[in-house]
Amino acid sequence: DIAFVRERLAEYEVLVAGFYRNRGEPEGERIRLVNAYLLYPNTLGGEVAHQRLEAMGVDFALLEDNPSLTAVDNVVPGKVPWADR
């Protein structure tokens, strides 16, 4: 059912946001949380994303008016620790 799929997709976005947070990539975390919040607002994952974004001080009105702030393509990953080996 579509509601189940939407819940899983929202959970996935929040999970990936956690991955970015754990790697010290706040922009990646923010973008994934914004995606969950905007794409799946009526899901548990969307609610969790909203709460985390609120704690980060994100301006929600700005997000809804500027789609470029939600583009995963804008994430520039940091240097990985093993790159110099």
Side-chain angles (χ1 to χ4, degrees):
D1 131 285
I2 193 72
F4 175 82
V5 172
R6 291 178 63 76
E7 287 288 347
R8 298 298 79 76
L9 290 169
E11 286 176 13
Y12 176 75
E13 290 292 335
V14 173
L15 179 69
V16 173
F19 167 80
Y20 280 112
R21 181 186 62 228
N22 293 338
R23 291 188 56 124
E25 300 284 348
E27 186 64 14
E29 176 188 13
R30 185 191 59 76
I31 286 173
R32 290 301 190 143
L33 291 173
V34 168
N35 286 342
Y37 165 71
L38 292 177
L39 296 173
Y40 313 108
N42 298 319
T43 64
L44 180 57
E47 289 297 319
V48 168
H50 181 264
Q51 292 168 1
R52 285 177 51 185
L53 289 165
E54 214 169 39
M56 294 167 79
V58 169
D59 182 350
F60 293 99
L62 187 71
L63 293 176
E64 293 169 3
D65 292 336
N66 190 345
S68 70
L69 296 175
T70 66
V72 177
D73 294 339
N74 291 337
V75 176
V76 178
K79 187 174 180 183
V80 293
W82 58 85
D84 293 330
R85 292 185 188 165

